[in-house]
Amino acid sequence: MATTQENFMDLIELHERSWGMQTYPGRPSLVALLAGPVVVLWEGDRPLVTSSRRNATSAAMPEHGRFMLSVHQHVDELNGLLYDMLVVGKAQPKDKRRLARIFVEQKEVRIKGLRLLLAE
């Protein structure tokens, strides 16, 4: 079974191969992806450039649709994005992307829960 770090490295490799020299708003550099403490995978409506390198370690990656990555310094930076997505109903960031995976220190983590705060 592949480690989460192998899955992370496969994800970065697939991202770089899919996008090549093309870019998207906010696309992080390879250096930023490898050094960033928090990397988020976003799935969107755009079609994926298919990769012939699909194997057991890439099972944790999107099956269809070109994905985008963002780098954050702290997990807390995602609070505003999650709030917009869940409470306000916005698709964040732009282009109707949805949060698919979160990696902290190159290890995949899951959202365990959210806290609902109510106001009158």
Side-chain angles (χ1 to χ4, degrees), residues 23-34:
T23 191
Y24 53 82
R27 179 181 173 184
S29 69
L30 178 58
V31 171
L33 289 170
L34 294 175

Side-chain angles (χ1 to χ4, degrees), residues 65-77:
R66 184 182 268 184
F67 62 94
M68 297 168 208
L69 299 174
S70 61
V71 176
H72 307 272
Q73 295 305 307
H74 303 284
V75 176
D76 293 343
E77 293 177 32

Side-chain angles (χ1 to χ4, degrees), residues 54-103:
R54 302 287 299 178
N55 55 35
T57 60
S58 64
M61 291 171 227
E63 292 296 323
H64 305 290
R66 184 182 268 184
F67 62 94
M68 297 168 208
L69 299 174
S70 61
V71 176
H72 307 272
Q73 295 305 307
H74 303 284
V75 176
D76 293 343
E77 293 177 32
L78 302 176
N79 287 339
L81 297 172
L82 293 174
Y83 174 81
D84 284 349
M85 290 171 67
L86 296 173
V87 177
V88 183
K90 293 181 184 175
Q92 286 287 335
K94 299 174 186 173
D95 298 331
K96 297 182 182 178
R97 291 183 251 173
R98 69 176 188 84
L99 188 143
R101 305 226 187 305
I102 302 172
F103 292 87

Side-chain angles (χ1 to χ4, degrees), residues 4-5 7-8 60 100-104 106-110:
T4 57
Q5 187 159 8
N7 283 338
F8 178 78
R101 305 226 187 305
I102 302 172
F103 292 87
V104 176
Q106 300 186 1
K107 295 177 184 156
E108 188 171 2
V109 297
R110 333 179 261 119

